[in-house]
Amino acid sequence: MVQVTYVAHDGAETTIDATEGDSVMQAAVANDVDGIVGECGGAMMCATCHCYVDQAWAERTGPRDEGEDDMLEGAASEITERSRLSCQIKLTAELDGLVVHLPEEQL
Ligand code: FES
């Protein structure tokens, strides 16, 4: 299991035990975490899985790729240097304890 904490826009934290190999988006949807929609199911065809990787984890999750950049242009909330599509972050043992922050809105 990989522990992931989602911090909502209002500061409320939800910590879940996710399955290794799932994406940050899949883990959120499977555990009914509010604030991640994942409309396209992870096909990188929407931006409703937008999240901000916590500063402490940004190096381990790595930078977003060009495809993510393109999709995030359509995101409902502000884009920052820590913005990622959570469906593109695969959970590995190395990411145990990951913290991501959720935008104010996804749609
Ligand atoms: Fe649609 Fe991530 S779920 S881009």
Side-chain angles (χ1 to χ4, degrees):
M1 294 302 236
V2 182
Q3 201 170 72
V4 186
T5 296
Y6 300 84
V7 184
H9 191 69
D10 66 4
E13 295 187 9
T14 306
T15 299
I16 61 159
D17 288 318
T19 304
E20 199 172 331
D22 277 359
S23 70
V24 173
M25 178 279 286
Q26 286 171 317
V29 171
N31 288 278
D32 295 322
V33 176
D34 279 341
I36 296 270
V37 179
E39 205 166 65
C40 76
M44 224 157 77
M45 301 285 286
C46 72
T48 64
C49 64
H50 179 200
C51 72
Y52 307 105
V53 175
D54 190 86
Q55 186 67 53
W57 290 89
E59 208 168 292
R60 265 176 278 187
T61 54
R64 58 180 182 253
D65 67 22
E66 217 173 285
E68 284 180 71
D69 265 339
D70 291 347
M71 276 321 305
L72 281 166
E73 280 176 23
S77 294
E78 182 196 1
I79 304 304
T80 74
E81 59 182 15
R82 290 185 288 118
S83 289
R84 292 287 313 266
L85 293 176
S86 61
C87 67
Q88 301 303 305
I89 305 173
K90 286 277 178 262
L91 291 167
T92 60
E94 205 192 8
L95 293 181
D96 187 27
L98 176 68
V99 179
V100 296
H101 301 260
L102 305 179
E104 188 169 9
E105 51 189 0
Q106 294 283 17
L107 297 167

